Structure formats: C-alpha cells, structure tokens
Amino acid sequence: MKISHHPSEELLVSYASGSMTEPVALVIATHLAMCPACRRIVADAEATGGALLEELQPQILRPDALNSALERLNNTHGAPAQKSRSNFGAPEPLNSYLSRPLDETKWIHVTPWLAIKPLTTRGGTRAQLIRSAPGSGVSLHTHRGEELTLVLQGGFSDEYGHYGPGDLQTATPETQHTPIADMDSYCINLAVTDAPLVFKNWSVGVIAKLFGF
Amino acid sequence: MSEGTDLNSLLVLVGAAQDRAAFAALFGHFAPRIKAYLMRLGAGSAQAEDLAQEAMLTVWRKAALYDPAKASAATWIFTVARNLRIDAIRRERRPAFDPNDAAFVPDADPPPDSGLERAEDGETLRAAMEVLPPEQAEIVRMSFYSDKPHSEIARELGLPLGTVKSRLRLAMGRLRQAMGGRE
Ligand SMILES: [Zn+2]
C-alpha cells in the first residue's frame, strides 16, 4: 500500500493524548492500521505522554491505597479472553463498527450516485461510510468544520491530488474542492465531519442538510 | 541501572511472574502520578484516586503484554491511564488498531531500538522536554492535559491556529530527535 496523504501531526498527537472524540479517533486509528509511518509518530507522542506522567507532581494517596490494591489483586486474574468478533474484511478498529462486510453494506442513497452508512456520532461529529459511483463527483463545496476522508476502496481525485486506499484527506473551512471518484470502481470512504458541507449549488445543499453529510 | 530501566524491569516481572513486590513498587511510583494526571484533566480527588487504583489493576492484568523493546513502563502505563479515562470519564470507546488483525499493515523496518536503548529514551526525552522553549512546552502540555482539539487550545490562548500547530510541530521534532533522531 503506497500512502501519500497522512493526518497532520496535531491529529496524531491528539489521538495519542486521548483528547480526540470517538468518531475522529475511529478514522485516525483505521489509517494507523494501514500506515506504519504514522504509527511511529503516535508512538513518539505516547512516549511524550509517558515523560509528562513522570514529571507530574505526585498526588498523595489514601493511607490504605496500596493495601486495598494488593487485596484486590487476589481477585484479579490474567488478561480477560479477547471477545471473538466477526471479521468483515475491514481493518480494526473500523471492523468492530460494522455489522456486515463492506460489500454488503445497507446503503442509504442520498443521490443515485452517492450513498452513506452512518457509523457513530458524538456531539455534532459523525463518522460514516460514503460510497460514490465510478466517475461521479460531489459539486464544488467548502466545509464549515474539519472533515477527514479515508479511502478504503477505489479512489478519488480533487484539486489537491489523487487519493487511493489508506490515503487520508483533510479538508478545513479554507478548502474548496470538487472530488471525483475514479472511473473504474466504486469509491468507498470512511469520513468524519463536524459540520454540514457548504455547497456552491443550492439543490445539492438541501440534500446535504437533509442527510447531514 | 537507572530508575527508568528499573521501572521497566519491575513491569516485566509483574507480567512474567505476577510478582506482588514488583507491583507494590510500581504502584508506589505510578499511582500517585496517575492520580495527578487525572486531576490535571479535571477529575476530583476521590474519583482520580479510584481510577488510579483501577488503572494499576489493569496494569496487573495486562502486564504480560508489555514489551520493554517497544516502550518504557511510564509510556505503557500512560496509555493504560489514558484509555481508562476515555472509558470511565468520557464514556467513549477508544478506537484502536490491532496488530493481530489480518488487515493490519505491519511495519517493514526492524524495530529501531533494543530494549535498553528505548528505556534510556524516557530520561533523554524528559531532559529534552525541560529545554524546550516555554511557548512550545506549553502547547505540548496543553495537548495532553486540556482534552481539547488544537483549534480550541488556540482560541483559549488567543493565538492563530497556525501558530499553535507550528509550535507543536517544532516541539515534537525536537523531542523526536532526542528519542533517536527519527525525523
Ligand atoms: Zn499515515
């Protein structure tokens, strides 16, 4: 897998520090499953978290803290058996959020060319699968918030380049783009948005508001 | 043997032999720091202490998974405390990749450091943190202690987002160099 578009360092640090909400972390962690280079950055950021833990002024514990912990050890045995989970062919953690293989997703059609499958929402932030028909485009739009799009299958292009499996595109309120899916296959993306898109074209905008993508 | 390597060996002992004395020593060192970490992130003293104890019990249960070639004990225990906070305080799942998953793309390179070198990293890293320019260190600490995205950190500090991002990148670049020059 040749990945050329990665999450920003801030996003990787936020993933490592745990300050990222679940839908965003789902997209970043699924990229990490496919990207050893970004995993190294996260490992370094986690080492920073470890160093920060060491430099904190320790807080005094209750006098019986250690004894009560040692007592509880007697009832605490090795790592719990991993729950077996179905394998739908998508990388973890995305796999755990699916209820069927990607190819059998129950899509909600937004237009004849565009279908979505919501996965998880937190506050105003939602992660969803988006499937675009071969060669189809989303008209010129901007973003009110930050939007991350991770390619799972197929690919797409916009004014900034081509995105294939594993590539992560970051769009901010300054980004204005016209993504077009590759001609030869459906493009399936995992995307997270924290605000609806702003379309330059009124009718698509209404559809986007109805479906909240 | 330095203190950092000592802590790593204690954690290995807990994992390999369920050594209670080693656990007690780790508890004495880390539980008060985990409590401090959770309080920095807004937990009350009682809740922070209960969760620090939970975190240390998780350390006991999962210690066999600890690999000193990959991380220092402090780093590994930090990730345990972080995940527990997300679960118990934020009440969210923590999406994480799974190296045993068939779709996982493994690292092509050999592991960069042997265990001892990696263990030394913790101290080099802390030294590097101490000499970071204060405005960079501030962004690093807020990244770990504010539970906020960088856009909000920027707003809080009255700085342009670009400034916050570039300070963080500069800081992480310096810290990475201290960890072995992986730029
Ligand atoms: Zn990457």
Side-chain angles (χ1 to χ4, degrees):
Chain A
M1 192 174 300
K2 173 80 189 78
I3 299 180
S4 32
H5 302 272
H6 303 270
S8 66
E9 180 141 27
E10 308 85 73
L11 285 170
L12 295 172
V13 170
S14 296
Y15 179 76
S17 72
S19 60
M20 184 175 265
T21 60
E22 183 181 335
V24 187
L26 170 62
V27 177
I28 296 299
T30 303
H31 174 81
L32 291 173
M34 298 185 266
C35 185
C38 285
R39 286 203 298 273
R40 280 194 291 276
I41 297 178
V42 168
D44 288 342
E46 286 175 340
T48 305
L52 287 170
L53 187 64
E54 284 288 5
E55 73 166 24
L56 278 174
Q57 181 64 41
Q59 287 284 332
I60 293 169
L61 305 179
R62 296 173 202 125
D64 65 336
L66 175 60
N67 281 336
S68 83
L70 286 171
E71 223 160 87
R72 290 180 66 190
L73 292 189
N74 300 332
N75 312 317
T76 305
H77 301 290
Q82 284 269 323
K83 259 190 293 177
S84 72
R85 53 181 182 234
S86 319
N87 189 342
F88 299 122
E92 282 297 338
L94 172 61
N95 190 70
S96 293
Y97 285 78
L98 303 179
S99 46
R100 57 186 68 237
L102 276 184
D103 303 345
E104 296 165 28
T105 302
K106 296 210 160 155
W107 296 103
I108 301 166
H109 280 270
V110 178
T111 72
W113 311 278
L114 190 73
I116 61 168
K117 169 70 185 173
L119 295 178
T120 180
T121 303
R122 191 83 191 180
T125 307
R126 74 167 67 199
Q128 58 191 357
L129 297 172
I130 299 182
R131 189 186 69 170
S132 310
S136 69
V138 177
S139 66
L140 186 67
H141 60 274
T142 55
H143 305 258
R144 252 174 245 153
E146 192 163 69
E147 179 188 73
L148 305 175
T149 303
L150 173 67
V151 180
L152 302 171
Q153 285 179 16
F156 71 89
S157 300
D158 70 4
E159 288 82 343
Y160 300 89
H162 181 261
Y163 301 81
D167 278 323
L168 183 114
Q169 190 210 41
T170 307
T172 65
E174 292 79 47
T175 313
Q176 181 169 309
H177 67 157
T178 317
I180 297 173
D182 291 355
M183 290 302 296
D184 52 355
S185 64
Y186 277 94
C187 174
I188 300 181
N189 298 323
L190 170 61
V192 64
T193 41
D194 53 10
L197 306 187
V198 184
F199 282 92
K200 299 293 171 194
N201 169 317
W202 177 85
S203 60
V204 190
V206 169
I207 294 170
K209 278 218 178 63
L210 285 175
F211 289 91
F213 73 92
Chain B
M1 199 185 255
S2 69
E3 189 195 28
T5 343
D6 249 355
L7 293 167
N8 296 359
S9 322
L10 288 171
L11 185 50
V12 169
L13 257 178
V14 171
Q18 288 82 51
D19 187 306
R20 294 168 69 95
F23 177 80
L26 282 176
F27 189 96
H29 183 83
F30 283 110
R33 288 176 168 81
I34 298 171
K35 182 178 177 184
Y37 163 71
L38 295 167
M39 288 176 72
R40 273 296 282 269
L41 277 152
S45 168
Q47 186 188 29
E49 177 146 353
D50 289 347
L51 288 176
Q53 181 165 123
E54 284 303 323
M56 289 310 295
L57 291 175
T58 304
V59 168
W60 172 261
R61 273 200 309 275
K62 294 194 172 166
L65 302 173
Y66 170 65
D67 178 356
K70 291 208 174 113
S72 70
T75 296
W76 193 77
I77 290 176
F78 159 73
T79 64
V80 168
R82 171 199 68 194
N83 293 354
L84 186 70
R85 184 184 74 83
I86 292 171
D87 180 62
I89 299 185
R90 284 233 310 261
R91 302 198 173 279
E92 288 188 21
R93 272 159 87 176
R94 164 79 181 171
F97 56 83
D98 174 1
N100 300 314
D101 170 28
F104 181 81
V105 179
D107 207 327
D109 315 320
D113 305 316
S114 79
L116 193 69
E117 280 157 355
R118 184 78 205 185
E120 292 301 323
D121 277 354
E123 280 139 56
T124 323
L125 184 55
R126 283 199 293 288
M129 193 104 69
E130 270 166 37
V131 296
L132 278 184
E135 72 279 4
Q136 290 177 21
E138 178 185 40
I139 304 295
V140 172
R141 293 205 174 87
M142 286 185 82
S143 300
F144 282 84
Y145 296 144
S146 75
D147 205 20
K148 287 176 185 147
H150 289 97
S151 53
E152 259 173 74
I153 292 175
R155 218 170 300 140
E156 225 165 77
L157 295 173
L159 291 170
L161 179 56
T163 306
V164 168
K165 289 181 177 182
S166 68
R167 283 181 188 173
L168 181 67
R169 278 175 213 168
L170 286 169
M172 294 309 293
R174 286 180 183 219
L175 297 177
R176 230 187 324 277
Q177 255 176 342
M179 280 182 273
R182 294 189 305 222
E183 258 306 335

